[in-house]
Amino acid sequence: MLSGKTVLIGITGGIAAYKICELIRMFKRANANVRVICTPNAMNFVTKLTLQNLSQNEVGIEEFEIPDFKPEHISYADEADIMIIAPATTNTISKMANGICDNLLTSIFCAFSKPVIIAPAMNCNMWNNKIIQENLQKLLNHGYTILEPENGFLACGYQGQGRLCALEKIFDAAVQKLSQPQTLKGKKIIITAGGTIEDIDPVRYISNYSSGKMGIALSDTAYSLGADVHLITTVSAQKPYVVEKVKSALEMQKAIEKDFADADCVIMAAAVADYRVKQPSEQKIKKTSDEEITLTLVKNPDILKHLCEIKTHQTIVGFCAESENLIENAKEKILKKGCDYLIANDISRKDIGFSSDYNEVSILTPNGVVKKLERADKYTIARQIFEEIYG
Ligand code: CTP
């Protein structure tokens, strides 16, 4: 799968370093050439001999070791197609975020211009430290991929977020980055997913059957094509790109508009509730002797329409769920909303759409139907949508 590719794995000094032995094996099994570099502190947790045997290559630790006209941090950076730093400790993350090059690993990172995946692992209090979060945000803003640590029992005895994410997640993120043409590189894309949740009281809400699968498939696909993805979703997702969880239509609108000015494209795959409860009750609504109850609903903002009104350079894509007269209604809707593309799907069919892994859609522009995409899994549909928009 990865023959001809060189994966550079940087190990720093955390207990999760021992897990990287298996990650090296995974890349070797996929036929990658694996180079390993370690910070001096990593050697407290794994041995050079183990890493050398597993990677079948020399392991770099100190600078100025290799007698070559090219400094080794430049040779390593030139040779590799991707760099993975796992586990990434608080110390190394902070150095990377501030351009400090005081060992071989941080020097290579600074000289590396290809994709970098960073998988932090640390004590949960260190992870939640605001300075560390700021440093991580800085790395994210510069396009580095951060694979967040998972919740669980930590080696230090604490329970919380800090465990190195699953090795499969690191491997998959690397494979995605290495095997796709990067046609969306440099594009900032905001994608929404899921049905919004409008509170009635602290225990009840109004929502819809949207599973978020189409929005997530679009986000994964955009990410694998090199885009800088910001997924704004009502359903949880652990992804190697920015995921912002929201609940209501108003929260979704706020999250989109915060980053809208810098975005190149917004895809509104979310099923946004048209109405919300006028005055959600702060306390649980009690049953009374009345046979009827009335909830007053007020209109939510039409996020898509508003984005189209305020847009400057962004490509705006809407979705349209119809249970009858699909194309006729979609043609009307694209003109009413003012978006550049509208992806129309027929929600009356049980074999596609809501909750299904499959979809069948028509892509419309304001001039008419551009293309009908045959029934396929949502990832294939997502790829075809990006091909239509970006060629
Ligand atoms: N949408 C939105 N804000 C809303 C309602 C919908 O941004 N308040 C977006 C959806 O994310 C989708 C598109 O508008 O991309 C169309 O959604 P749809 O529910 O089909 O259309 P509506 O405008 O709600 O019209 P109707 O429900 O009457 O068909």
Side-chain angles (χ1 to χ4, degrees), residues 169-241:
K169 200 165 165 184
I170 304 176
F171 180 79
D172 288 351
V175 171
Q176 273 204 351
K177 289 221 174 272
L178 288 170
S179 51
Q180 291 282 352
Q182 301 290 286
T183 46
L184 300 183
K185 183 135 192 77
K187 299 255 180 276
K188 289 190 178 208
I189 305 191
I190 298 174
I191 298 169
T192 63
T196 63
I197 296 164
E198 311 296 335
D199 279 346
I200 297 173
D201 68 13
V203 291
R204 305 180 183 96
Y205 59 82
I206 298 174
S207 191
N208 57 65
Y209 290 118
S210 172
S211 62
K213 285 182 179 173
M214 192 65 236
I216 289 172
L218 282 160
S219 302
D220 286 352
T221 305
Y223 172 72
S224 68
L225 293 173
D228 182 352
V229 177
H230 180 178
L231 170 65
I232 298 171
T233 170
T234 61
V235 294
S236 296
Q238 283 243 339
K239 296 289 172 186
Y241 44 80

Side-chain angles (χ1 to χ4, degrees), residues 66-79:
I66 306 167
D68 188 356
F69 81 95
K70 239 186 193 181
E72 54 270 74
H73 61 282
I74 304 299
S75 312
Y76 273 111
D78 286 350
E79 188 192 353

Side-chain angles (χ1 to χ4, degrees), residues 38-41 61-64 73 91-96 98-110:
C38 296
T39 60
N41 274 340
I61 300 165
E62 302 290 348
E63 288 180 285
F64 317 115
H73 61 282
N91 187 33
T92 295
I93 288 168
S94 300
K95 287 186 203 171
M96 292 192 300
N98 290 286
I100 294 171
C101 303
D102 65 345
N103 61 36
L104 182 60
L105 190 150
T106 48
S107 300
I108 295 173
F109 169 77
C110 212

Side-chain angles (χ1 to χ4, degrees), residues 323-342:
S323 55
E324 55 184 356
N325 305 330
L326 179 68
I327 297 299
E328 207 179 300
N329 286 339
K331 279 184 174 167
E332 217 174 277
K333 202 168 271 181
I334 192 169
L335 297 178
K336 203 168 76 188
K337 303 263 186 184
C339 52
D340 301 289
Y341 295 91
L342 190 71

Side-chain angles (χ1 to χ4, degrees), residues 183-184 187-189 264-267 314-315 341 384-391:
T183 46
L184 300 183
K187 299 255 180 276
K188 289 190 178 208
I189 305 191
D264 295 289
C265 176
V266 178
I267 305 182
Q314 296 85 352
T315 301
Y341 295 91
Q384 289 171 312
I385 290 172
F386 284 115
E387 274 168 16
E388 195 54 48
I389 300 173
Y390 286 109

Side-chain angles (χ1 to χ4, degrees), residues 2-116:
L2 296 178
S3 54
K5 301 286 183 196
T6 295
V7 177
L8 178 61
I9 301 184
I11 306 177
T12 74
I15 179 65
Y18 80 91
K19 297 183 180 173
I20 306 309
C21 298
E22 183 52 32
L23 186 67
I24 296 170
R25 301 271 296 150
M26 289 163 84
F27 282 110
K28 289 301 286 180
R29 278 196 290 268
N31 283 329
N33 175 33
V34 179
R35 304 298 313 268
V36 179
I37 42 161
C38 296
T39 60
N41 274 340
M43 302 324 291
N44 292 316
F45 300 94
V46 273
T47 73
K48 191 171 181 178
L49 189 61
T50 310
L51 301 171
Q52 232 155 244
N53 278 337
L54 293 173
S55 67
Q56 295 167 345
N57 266 318
E58 277 280 331
V59 172
I61 300 165
E62 302 290 348
E63 288 180 285
F64 317 115
E65 260 180 354
I66 306 167
D68 188 356
F69 81 95
K70 239 186 193 181
E72 54 270 74
H73 61 282
I74 304 299
S75 312
Y76 273 111
D78 286 350
E79 188 192 353
D81 297 289
I82 191 164
M83 183 173 187
I84 297 168
I85 300 159
T89 55
T90 325
N91 187 33
T92 295
I93 288 168
S94 300
K95 287 186 203 171
M96 292 192 300
N98 290 286
I100 294 171
C101 303
D102 65 345
N103 61 36
L104 182 60
L105 190 150
T106 48
S107 300
I108 295 173
F109 169 77
C110 212
F112 203 75
S113 55
K114 286 160 269 183
V116 179

